[in-house]
Amino acid sequence: MSSRRPPTRSAHRKSTTARLAALVAGVGLVAALGAAAPALAAPTAHTAPAAPAGATSTTYTSGFEGGDWEGWSPEDGGNTRGWWIDHTTAQAHGGSQSLNYQLDGTWDNGTIWIERQFSAPSGTSVPVTVTYWAWSPTSAGPSAGTWLTTASIKGTDHDLGATASNPPWDNLGTWDTTPENYYGGWHQYTKSANVNTITSGGTVNVAIALHANFETVRDYLHFDDVSVTIG
């Protein structure tokens, strides 16, 4: 038989007191740790910055697909011997069609263009930017035989008051831009200007032209993918 005796009452009291002290110490430690660890902030959703007040613009694009002029009209300066502007599938920068310009320059002058009028916000200096693509089989450097392409941005129609004896752009005399020489293949051209749309009555006129200054016929030049940004 075992000779072990049950614990005395005083020993039982000591054991109970020790367990209570350990429990209190543990609770205090947890509380202390909780107080030392700050709570994580909830994640905030990303918000895109607001556009500056008044900084708005509108962009118009034209690809001339399906025989559509998309608001543009073909015009000439009244001093051309023979010309046309028509849709073609022979070349295209985007899609399957572009505009083909043909101009008979054997009189050593003449300008043909497409033109479109746009509504614009009213202001004394509204920015307008035009980009377009033109295709030529070869480049044409700055020489006497250069044919030129250019864009023009005005507040009025480009042929306003023009006649055969008083063309608007004979030798590009009244163009408000420096004309650019042709590059081989497709090349993008850009023109920017400010228009006083208060004077123009809230309109902007944009033209994209081919100008002859050499006595030859050109019938293989193509224009495509026009973009006009106003504002």
Side-chain angles (χ1 to χ4, degrees):
M1 294 188 59
S2 172
S3 60
R4 296 178 60 187
R5 290 184 301 173
T8 64
R9 184 175 297 176
S10 60
H12 178 72
R13 213 168 25 242
K14 290 179 180 178
S15 175
T16 303
T17 303
R19 287 199 301 270
L20 288 173
L23 178 61
V24 170
V27 171
L29 179 61
V30 170
L33 289 176
L40 294 177
T44 56
H46 174 71
T47 302
T56 58
S57 63
T58 303
T59 298
Y60 304 86
T61 59
S62 302
F64 309 111
E65 295 296 304
D68 191 351
W69 288 96
E70 301 180 40
W72 298 83
S73 59
E75 302 182 31
D76 81 302
N79 62 333
T80 52
R81 184 170 183 174
W83 67 280
W84 81 54
I85 302 175
D86 206 353
H87 293 76
T88 179
T89 58
Q91 293 287 340
H93 178 262
S96 60
Q97 295 190 29
S98 65
L99 296 183
N100 174 220
Y101 282 42
Q102 173 170 311
L103 177 58
D104 184 346
T106 53
W107 285 358
D108 201 19
N109 60 17
T111 306
I112 59 177
W113 66 94
I114 57 171
E115 183 164 2
R116 180 177 171 182
Q117 186 175 86
F118 299 87
S119 297
S122 181
T124 57
S125 185
V126 176
V128 181
T129 298
V130 182
T131 62
Y132 65 97
W133 290 82
W135 183 91
S136 173
T138 57
S139 61
S143 64
T146 299
W147 282 50
L148 307 172
T149 179
T150 189
S152 182
I153 303 166
K154 294 185 178 182
T156 59
D157 193 289
H158 285 74
D159 63 1
L160 188 64
T163 64
S165 60
N166 182 32
W169 297 332
D170 190 16
N171 296 317
L172 295 183
T174 61
W175 278 80
D176 58 348
T177 181
T178 301
E180 297 190 61
N181 302 308
Y182 268 102
Y183 296 81
W186 285 105
H187 182 78
Q188 189 177 43
Y189 300 84
T190 301
K191 165 65 182 176
S192 296
N194 292 326
V195 177
N196 185 333
T197 57
I198 296 177
T199 302
S200 71
T203 61
V204 168
N205 284 63
V206 175
I208 298 170
L210 171 67
H211 175 73
N213 66 348
F214 193 64
E215 297 174 349
T216 59
V217 176
R218 295 287 172 93
D219 62 358
Y220 48 73
L221 301 172
H222 304 272
F223 294 75
D224 202 1
D225 289 342
V226 178
S227 175
V228 178
T229 300
I230 301 175

